[in-house]
Amino acid sequence: SEPFGGDMGVITGSPDSPNLFNLVVADFKVTEHPTDVVLHDMYVNHMLQADDTGMAGTTPSSIQSKLRQFEAYASFTGFEVSVPKCMIAVFGKEVVTDTVFMLHDKPLQKKMKLKYIGVHHQTGRGNIYKDNYQVLADKAKNAAGAVLHAKAFVGSDMPIRDMITMYWARIDPYLKSGAKFTMDVVASHRDQLEEVQHYFLRRVLSLQKRSSTQILFTETGVCKTWVRIGLRVGFGI
């Protein structure tokens, strides 16, 4: 299209939108509380990513205090809070609380499962990221099917290097998504991602489903899923 000017706001999809919002709310601070979460001798009591705000605490009173501070900040700055979209999640083994958390005089709904900044969480027993592995594995499987369908459409002589390029672009992002913060403490969860990787690479190399997995990586140059995740977590720390 012909060049056009944008004199109001930012273009849809532009990274300037969340970045500018981050600058606007950069002055939002939450008073530190003795029961706040501590990581490497630093209090971690709230997280901000554009208009997605998360707050953490280990007691109901500290959480309610943070909600009051957030409410006051929103009133002072003129931000409108969509209370129906706000939720509370209680993590821990058999943690039960009857506390009703309030924001702008409205009760917040409690959730056993929620999604925050693209990551699926679940409360209660087990790995809180269990659902995240399942969702990512399903998305990677769908992407793998789409790429393999493209091979069937183009022809069986489609170069392997082109298939691997499509793997890096369409499948690998799902297999390594969240690797900076999700520790693979449950092998069965990680296996879901490995199964998709093995399935795709075997189809690319025209190998049987019981073939050795080592050749999948020596012939394609692709790293094993668990190696990539291990390296990303290491660099993240």
Side-chain angles (χ1 to χ4, degrees):
S1 65
E2 295 296 326
F4 62 91
D7 301 325
M8 181 180 296
V10 294
I11 300 175
T12 301
S14 171
D16 289 337
S17 180
N19 290 337
L20 290 173
F21 200 100
N22 287 340
L23 291 175
V24 172
V25 299
D27 61 337
F28 175 58
K29 304 296 180 183
V30 177
T31 303
E32 295 178 353
H33 193 275
T35 61
D36 283 345
V37 177
V38 178
L39 180 63
H40 294 297
D41 299 326
M42 294 183 62
Y43 285 103
V44 182
N45 51 24
H46 71 290
M47 298 151 285
L48 299 172
Q49 173 54 34
D51 59 343
D52 291 324
T53 303
M55 288 174 282
T58 59
T59 62
S61 60
S62 68
I63 291 294
Q64 186 58 64
S65 173
K66 293 173 176 59
L67 291 173
R68 286 194 295 268
Q69 294 177 61
F70 180 72
E71 179 180 325
Y73 179 81
S75 299
F76 176 76
T77 56
F79 288 132
E80 182 178 350
V81 180
S82 179
V83 178
K85 293 183 179 180
C86 299
M87 60 194 68
I88 289 288
V90 182
F91 295 88
K93 294 183 178 179
E94 299 182 358
V95 176
V96 179
T97 177
D98 296 327
T99 304
V100 178
F101 298 94
M102 307 292 291
L103 182 62
H104 288 292
D105 298 323
K106 297 179 182 179
L108 299 183
Q109 55 181 326
K110 294 181 181 179
K111 291 288 188 178
M112 298 292 291
K113 296 183 178 182
L114 70 154
K115 183 180 180 182
Y116 180 64
I117 313 184
V119 181
H120 295 265
H121 303 75
Q122 69 172 24
T123 65
R125 293 181 175 272
N127 190 337
I128 65 175
Y129 298 117
K130 176 183 178 181
D131 290 347
N132 201 58
Y133 284 93
Q134 182 63 58
V135 170
L136 292 175
D138 290 342
K139 290 183 176 181
K141 186 181 298 184
N142 292 336
V147 173
L148 292 172
H149 179 73
K151 178 183 179 181
F153 180 79
V154 174
S156 58
D157 59 343
M158 186 174 182
I160 293 179
R161 68 174 181 274
D162 292 342
M163 295 292 291
I164 298 303
T165 298
M166 297 181 72
Y167 166 85
W168 289 121
R170 302 295 303 157
I171 304 171
D172 188 69
Y174 291 123
L175 299 182
K176 67 184 180 183
S177 177
K180 289 185 178 180
F181 56 84
T182 54
M183 301 296 292
D184 293 317
V185 295
V186 181
S188 60
H189 297 166
R190 187 189 66 206
D191 290 345
Q192 298 178 74
L193 304 178
E194 288 187 341
E195 288 174 4
V196 177
Q197 185 186 52
H198 294 171
Y199 165 76
F200 179 80
L201 295 180
R202 283 190 172 113
R203 289 289 301 273
V204 169
L205 298 175
S206 300
L207 298 175
Q208 298 180 357
K209 63 180 180 179
R210 296 184 181 276
S211 66
S212 170
T213 58
Q214 300 302 323
I215 194 174
L216 303 179
F217 308 105
T218 58
E219 294 300 308
T220 61
V222 174
C223 294
K224 294 182 179 180
T225 300
W226 68 269
V227 172
R228 291 187 58 83
I229 290 179
L231 289 176
R232 287 175 63 82
V233 170
F235 288 131
I237 294 176

